Amino acid sequence: MIQTTVTPFKQKLTSALTKEEISVLQINLGKRCNLACNHCHVEAGPKRTEELSPEICEQLIELIQRFPQIQIVDLTGGAPEMNYGFKPLVEAARANDKQVIVRSNLTIYFENGFGDLPEYFAQHKVRVVASLPCYLEDNVDKMRGAGVYNGSIKALQWLNQLGYGKEPDLILDLVFNPQMPTGEKFSLTPDQVKLERSYKEFLQEHFGIVFNNLFTISNLPVGRTKLYLERQKLYTPYLRFLESNFNSSTVEHLMCRDELSIDYLGNVYDCDFHQMMNLPAKNRHGENLTVAKLLEVGSLDAIAEVQTAHYCYGCTAGCGSSCGGTLV
């Protein structure tokens, strides 16, 4: 029997999806970006202007200073480096002994006004998680735009020269995203360990590049990926494919369980994907949360249950998917 509907994600769970103690603060600084990648779930680009305000930036700095339980401050965008508040947040987090992650598209370093970034990252020991959706030029440029691959290679060589991928406190990770499907022959992300080996061998042999870890991340049907799938009449078939590969052992490792995702307006979400789909996190009274409310109540652990949606199957399919790669 061919399945024609998608089971609500919540029905797959044996118990409520609850929060653990919050240790990760992921902040989306805005939608400004020098690229407009076709798989971008944020729908960021050069024409977007939405970004963090000084008021929300100050609230976030207070949050970082007040809560020692925060171990990681994960900065994303858009190109996070282009949006207001980037350096103040990096410096506040490092001053409070937090690990800082920047999710970088690499090519930003060659834009006017951003050429200091690699040295700045090294100075503050920022962990760079860089998008390189394939180690082959043609595939990268198809997804991200002509010339992006060559710019990315130069940026990685620059980071290597500064010690990234070599020194223990200068971590350089790469992110793989699959190509967008053109028909109903869907596939899960490749084995992360094997693909990392292929990336390392190819980049070392051809460009002398070294890095620490490869993260394989599924394309969730959100943002531009959702729009593309809808245009191709593949949205529901793709969701059914993800559901058919649901792996219950991924659930306890889901990134939404110990993180808060915060947008440039100061609204709080369980994850970045919920943020893009405007599915806000709620406190125990069913009220939407903001950074200001977290400061008011004096707790990061104000959420009892994680919100869920159909696209959550993207994080629980196969070996699972998160901002840190596979889950099991």
Side-chain angles (χ1 to χ4, degrees), residues 11 62 64 120 154 222 227 247 299:
Q11 291 182 21
E62 186 179 347
I64 290 165
Y120 179 83
K154 288 177 186 173
V222 171
L227 294 172
N247 180 354
S299 173

Side-chain angles (χ1 to χ4, degrees), residues 23-182:
S23 61
V24 180
L25 207 59
Q26 187 174 70
I27 304 168
N28 190 301
L29 298 177
K31 297 181 185 288
R32 295 176 64 207
C33 190
N34 58 312
L35 301 177
C37 303
N38 64 18
H39 64 295
C40 179
H41 69 279
V42 182
E43 300 181 64
K47 295 181 180 177
R48 302 301 293 261
T49 58
E50 305 96 316
E51 66 178 338
L52 199 67
S53 69
E55 179 190 6
I56 301 301
C57 184
E58 287 303 315
Q59 291 177 4
L60 288 166
I61 288 171
E62 186 179 347
L63 209 66
I64 290 165
Q65 292 169 338
R66 275 180 58 180
F67 295 101
Q69 72 191 75
I70 298 170
Q71 297 172 21
I72 298 171
V73 176
D74 185 344
L75 302 176
T76 183
E81 306 99 323
M82 288 184 77
N83 290 275
Y84 180 86
F86 175 72
K87 287 184 177 180
L89 286 167
V90 167
E91 288 159 31
R94 293 301 294 136
N96 287 273
D97 203 27
K98 317 296 184 189
Q99 182 184 60
V100 176
I101 294 173
V102 57
R103 297 193 178 267
S104 182
N105 68 29
L106 297 172
T107 61
I108 185 65
Y109 314 155
F110 304 105
E111 300 286 341
N112 286 337
F114 298 98
D116 67 322
L117 284 172
E119 283 80 6
Y120 179 83
F121 293 162
Q123 177 192 347
H124 293 283
K125 297 179 171 50
V126 173
R127 182 172 186 165
V128 178
V129 178
S131 180
L132 192 72
C134 184
Y135 54 79
L136 300 174
E137 181 175 1
D138 186 51
N139 287 348
V140 171
D141 285 1
K142 276 181 183 172
M143 291 177 78
R144 310 190 68 204
V148 169
Y149 181 81
N150 286 331
S152 299
I153 293 298
K154 288 177 186 173
L156 290 171
Q157 290 170 331
W158 188 353
L159 290 167
N160 278 173
Q161 287 167 10
L162 295 168
Y164 271 96
K166 301 174 182 179
E167 297 178 16
D169 55 357
L170 295 179
I171 300 173
L172 173 60
D173 301 320
L174 300 184
V175 173
F176 164 88
N177 290 94
Q179 296 284 304
M180 299 288 246
T182 55

Side-chain angles (χ1 to χ4, degrees), residues 152-275:
S152 299
I153 293 298
K154 288 177 186 173
L156 290 171
Q157 290 170 331
W158 188 353
L159 290 167
N160 278 173
Q161 287 167 10
L162 295 168
Y164 271 96
K166 301 174 182 179
E167 297 178 16
D169 55 357
L170 295 179
I171 300 173
L172 173 60
D173 301 320
L174 300 184
V175 173
F176 164 88
N177 290 94
Q179 296 284 304
M180 299 288 246
T182 55
E184 290 196 30
K185 288 187 86 171
F186 304 119
S187 59
L188 298 172
T189 54
D191 179 89
Q192 184 168 280
V193 173
K194 290 180 181 176
L195 189 60
E196 179 180 288
R197 194 178 305 127
S198 298
Y199 262 72
K200 285 187 169 178
E201 288 172 358
F202 185 89
L203 293 175
Q204 172 74 62
E205 180 184 345
H206 290 83
F207 305 107
I209 289 170
V210 296
F211 65 94
N212 295 95
N213 309 288
L214 178 74
F215 300 145
T216 58
I217 299 183
S218 299
N219 287 327
L220 265 73
V222 171
R224 286 196 191 117
T225 299
K226 180 174 187 278
L227 294 172
Y228 168 85
L229 291 168
E230 287 174 338
R231 284 197 302 271
Q232 302 295 319
K233 296 184 169 50
L234 294 172
Y235 176 66
T236 301
Y238 184 59
L239 281 174
R240 289 200 298 266
F241 166 76
L242 293 174
E243 182 192 342
S244 71
N245 285 280
F246 174 76
N247 180 354
S248 60
S249 64
T250 63
V251 174
E252 67 177 294
H253 306 292
L254 287 171
M255 62 183 179
C256 55
R257 305 200 68 174
D258 65 352
E259 83 164 28
L260 297 178
S261 172
I262 297 169
D263 70 8
Y264 60 91
L265 297 170
N267 299 308
V268 178
Y269 303 82
D270 292 308
C271 72
D272 196 47
F273 301 112
H274 283 354
Q275 183 182 142

